[in-house]
Amino acid sequence: MPLRIDGQRSPLVAHLRCAIELTDAEIAALCSFTSGATQVPKNEALEREGEPRQAVQVVNSGWAIRHKEVPDGGRQILDFVLPGDIVGVEGSVVRRADHTVTALTDLEVSHVPFGRIDTLVREHPRLVNALIWSAARQQAVFAEHLLSLGRRNAYARVAHLLVEVWRRLSVRGLAVDHTFRMPVTQDVLADTLGLSVVHVNRTLAQLTRNGLAEKQRDSVKIVDLPGLVDAAQFDYGYLRDAPMPDEMLRNLERRPDGPGGGALRLARSRGPAAPVGQGG
Amino acid sequence: MPLRIDGQRSPLVAHLRCAIELTDAEIAALCSFTSGATQVPKNEALEREGEPRQAVQVVNSGWAIRHKEVPDGGRQILDFVLPGDIVGVEGSVVRRADHTVTALTDLEVSHVPFGRIDTLVREHPRLVNALIWSAARQQAVFAEHLLSLGRRNAYARVAHLLVEVWRRLSVRGLAVDHTFRMPVTQDVLADTLGLSVVHVNRTLAQLTRNGLAEKQRDSVKIVDLPGLVDAAQFDYGYLRDAPMPDEMLRNLERRPDGPGGGALRLARSRGPAAPVGQGG
DNA sequence: CGAAAAGTTGATCTACATCAACGTGCGTGG
DNA sequence: CCACGCACGTTGATGTAGATCAACTTTTCG
């Protein structure tokens, strides 16, 4: 079973390193988290809205969602929790979770009791920065998602989500040449993007038709990254502290009048969408 | 000029106290922030997306908005910054702001240089909790807003926003008997709620017609709080750490079959809205 | 007082939801 | 190994919340 003590291969370390410089000692300390990992089965909750948290948790592998329920049965998915993400960072101050986190796949999770966080921070004070950074990044993701729901149409929303997930994964070394695992049903996508399943399906089909990206059951293949970024009205500046992989920057260079997407129109907020060939 | 050294009257202290117990020494330390206040004129930015922050800022009086721009001129307002709110808490770790903060009215703002934060925290370590709490609360507000945009219809969104603002203000002692200042145009409301100005106007009119709330140019009067809460699908549990004022709890007790709103229908997510008398 | 900003109201359009089948892959048990 | 069942995906027809367009009124303020 993949208990990775090797800091170079830990998604958590890979992702923190984007923003924060870490010494070997700090990396070793972080990896000591990962050593005691437990399995969480699919569909089980890591923490539940309104209930007290048990510990800070680090997801070593697998996907989860952060979500909230609405009185009449609906749910809104706030964000995906990817390998390397921390759940409940603010737990030592705010004990009750304000949203639920549920496993989308089987998970390998490390629990870090609050007391141990204190110890860790006392021994490596600079690691507080990592925690604060993680919380801030989380907030930035929420903000960007808010922008999506408020101001982008379905086409741009889906495109944006794909780019964002790709970016987050590739920083952690989990996306090779524009292809990555994404164990997410259209139903989940719908609840993330504030759309109906049917419309997600159609939008996905359109992205494929336009040669931008292809979503299979468990994976995504981004065919034309610049085109997708364009369709997403993606702000490359966002999450500035997580530098974009060289590869992405390289790809973006050929943007002005990029290949493949000749006729691609920008879907515009609130305005007419025109994402090429809606009428099937 | 209202330079409040009295901790009892500081919105910042009032709002932190909801969640964190503060000693007199800590309150005094916090108030030392407030002493050196500067004026920020309406429409000026406190911090700008992508630009480095100068300091942590505390808004002593006035309103501001957190917002993001979309390439084609649109903007999404993420949140309102109310008196007592902190802007850029995470600044000492994440220097670049990920969204813009702009004054909606003239503001009285205290700047707290990052270095001074360090000092403060060293002298009063428990105050870190206050900062983390503030960041977490911010995130909870974003999450709730996300739920609104993704899963509530216009009627519920507007209602929810009014309740939320009321709640946040009343905790700080800035809302007397369901009436409070809200210097927010319908245009700003629209950009907050992901709606058009026209539709905001109509929805506001509807809330008035249904006897729930009345929004004047610069203020709001909540007429039927339980009704409004109901229409908003408001989750009283949310922001659990900020206990609801007794008054609200008292009001909610008469809820099951509350007064005034006899015919009031719950506007439901994605489903048919039926907020009483749409057709003019 | 005049002009710009904010609010109001009606007519029309459309992006997306809802409803309703139907297709397809996949895991479980016989 | 097949078959049954279920979760997931796909597709078409129709409905609607809310956008857009276009005046017009009222308020604010220099």
Side-chain angles (χ1 to χ4, degrees):
Chain A
M1 287 295 85
L3 295 187
R4 342 188 147 72
I5 308 295
D6 176 9
Q8 305 308 316
R9 297 240 175 89
S10 154
L12 172 64
V13 172
H15 136 227
L16 289 177
R17 278 194 129 172
C18 290
I20 311 276
E21 293 184 17
L22 297 172
T23 66
D24 287 349
E26 285 159 351
I27 292 177
L30 280 172
C31 286
S32 76
F33 281 5
T34 319
S35 50
T38 66
Q39 301 297 129
V40 174
K42 184 171 169 169
N43 292 326
E44 193 144 305
L46 293 188
E47 56 182 47
R48 224 180 284 273
E49 179 172 357
E51 291 180 12
R53 302 179 220 256
Q54 304 304 329
V56 174
Q57 293 168 283
V58 179
V59 175
N60 300 325
S61 71
W63 281 52
I65 49 173
R66 302 175 184 277
H67 57 111
K68 282 183 150 256
E69 315 296 330
V70 114
D72 38 342
R75 68 172 172 180
Q76 175 64 38
I77 294 175
L78 307 171
D79 189 19
F80 295 119
V81 178
L82 310 181
D85 276 339
I86 303 173
V87 172
V89 224
E90 70 277 43
S92 43
V93 175
V94 185
R95 275 301 155 86
R96 283 179 194 288
D98 72 295
H99 58 256
T100 304
V101 177
T102 303
L104 223 44
T105 66
D106 291 347
L107 252 41
E108 189 195 281
V109 171
S110 307
H111 294 252
V112 188
F114 297 127
R116 190 135 159 239
I117 296 273
D118 292 345
T119 314
L120 190 82
V121 158
R122 210 170 307 118
E123 285 166 10
H124 304 277
R126 274 164 25 94
L127 282 183
V128 201
N129 291 344
L131 298 179
I132 293 180
W133 175 80
S134 173
R137 195 203 51 89
Q138 178 66 55
Q139 186 178 306
V141 171
F142 278 14
E144 190 66 22
H145 195 174
L146 224 27
L147 179 60
S148 247
L149 293 192
R151 285 284 167 266
R152 288 193 254 254
N153 62 25
Y155 192 72
R157 274 184 227 180
V158 174
H160 190 277
L161 185 67
L162 293 183
V163 176
E164 204 225 292
V165 168
W166 169 76
R167 204 194 41 66
R168 283 170 65 186
L169 286 176
S170 78
V171 161
R172 295 155 161 94
L174 296 175
V176 256
D177 53 57
H178 298 186
T179 303
F180 51 91
R181 203 170 111 78
M182 185 169 180
V184 165
T185 64
Q186 294 185 354
D187 183 63
V188 167
L189 237 34
D191 283 342
T192 305
L193 299 168
L195 300 170
S196 67
V197 206
V198 173
H199 203 63
V200 164
N201 182 306
R202 291 185 168 123
T203 309
L204 242 20
Q206 226 175 281
L207 283 173
T208 305
R209 224 178 304 128
N210 293 344
L212 299 186
E214 286 160 23
K215 166 119 182 39
Q216 271 99 29
R217 183 169 290 259
D218 265 20
S219 69
V220 173
K221 178 179 174 190
I222 295 183
V223 179
D224 175 8
L225 181 59
L228 199 61
V229 166
D230 206 27
Q233 310 167 317
F234 197 89
D235 176 7
Y236 331 128
Y238 131 80
L239 289 192
R240 254 162 276 261
D241 296 280
M244 252 163 292
D246 294 346
E247 180 214 7
M248 180 165 182
L249 294 170
R250 230 181 295 122
N251 271 295
L252 287 172
E253 274 158 19
R254 54 182 178 105
R255 262 199 64 233
D257 211 80
L264 213 229
R265 291 236 65 78
L266 239 183
R268 48 180 53 230
S269 73
R270 231 198 257 166
V276 174
Q278 163 73 283
Chain B
M1 288 290 84
L3 295 187
R4 336 192 150 74
I5 309 293
D6 177 9
Q8 306 308 317
R9 298 239 176 90
S10 154
L12 172 65
V13 173
H15 134 229
L16 288 178
R17 278 194 128 171
C18 292
I20 312 276
E21 293 185 16
L22 296 172
T23 66
D24 287 349
E26 285 160 351
I27 291 177
L30 281 172
C31 286
S32 76
F33 281 6
T34 319
S35 51
T38 66
Q39 301 297 128
V40 175
K42 184 172 170 169
N43 292 326
E44 192 143 307
L46 292 187
E47 56 183 44
R48 223 180 284 274
E49 179 172 358
E51 291 179 13
R53 301 178 221 255
Q54 305 304 329
V56 173
Q57 293 169 285
V58 179
V59 175
N60 300 326
S61 71
W63 281 52
I65 49 174
R66 302 174 185 277
H67 56 110
K68 282 181 149 258
E69 315 296 331
V70 115
D72 38 340
R75 69 173 172 177
Q76 175 64 37
I77 295 174
L78 307 171
D79 188 21
F80 294 119
V81 178
L82 310 181
D85 276 338
I86 303 174
V87 172
V89 224
E90 71 278 42
S92 42
V93 175
V94 185
R95 275 300 154 86
R96 283 177 194 288
D98 73 295
H99 58 256
T100 304
V101 178
T102 303
L104 224 44
T105 67
D106 291 346
L107 252 40
E108 189 195 280
V109 171
S110 308
H111 294 252
V112 188
F114 298 128
R116 188 133 161 242
I117 295 274
D118 292 346
T119 314
L120 190 82
V121 159
R122 211 171 304 118
E123 286 167 9
H124 303 278
R126 275 164 24 95
L127 282 183
V128 201
N129 291 343
L131 298 180
I132 292 180
W133 176 81
S134 173
R137 195 204 50 90
Q138 178 67 55
Q139 185 178 306
V141 171
F142 278 15
E144 191 65 23
H145 195 175
L146 222 28
L147 179 59
S148 246
L149 293 193
R151 285 284 169 265
R152 288 193 253 254
N153 62 25
Y155 192 71
R157 276 184 225 179
V158 174
H160 190 278
L161 185 66
L162 294 183
V163 176
E164 204 225 292
V165 167
W166 170 76
R167 206 194 38 67
R168 283 170 66 186
L169 286 176
S170 78
V171 161
R172 295 156 161 94
L174 296 174
V176 255
D177 52 57
H178 299 187
T179 303
F180 50 92
R181 202 170 111 78
M182 186 170 180
V184 165
T185 64
Q186 295 185 354
D187 183 64
V188 167
L189 236 35
D191 282 343
T192 304
L193 299 169
L195 300 169
S196 67
V197 206
V198 173
H199 203 64
V200 165
N201 183 304
R202 290 183 170 126
T203 308
L204 242 20
Q206 226 175 282
L207 282 173
T208 305
R209 223 177 306 128
N210 292 343
L212 299 187
E214 286 160 23
K215 166 118 182 41
Q216 271 100 29
R217 183 165 291 258
D218 264 20
S219 69
V220 173
K221 178 179 174 189
I222 295 183
V223 179
D224 174 8
L225 182 58
L228 200 61
V229 165
D230 206 29
Q233 307 168 318
F234 197 88
D235 175 8
Y236 333 126
Y238 130 80
L239 290 192
R240 253 161 277 261
D241 295 281
M244 252 164 292
D246 293 346
E247 178 214 9
M248 179 165 183
L249 294 171
R250 229 180 297 120
N251 270 296
L252 287 173
E253 274 159 20
R254 55 184 176 100
R255 264 198 63 236
D257 210 81
L264 212 228
R265 291 237 66 77
L266 241 182
R268 49 180 54 227
S269 73
R270 232 198 256 166
V276 174
Q278 164 70 286

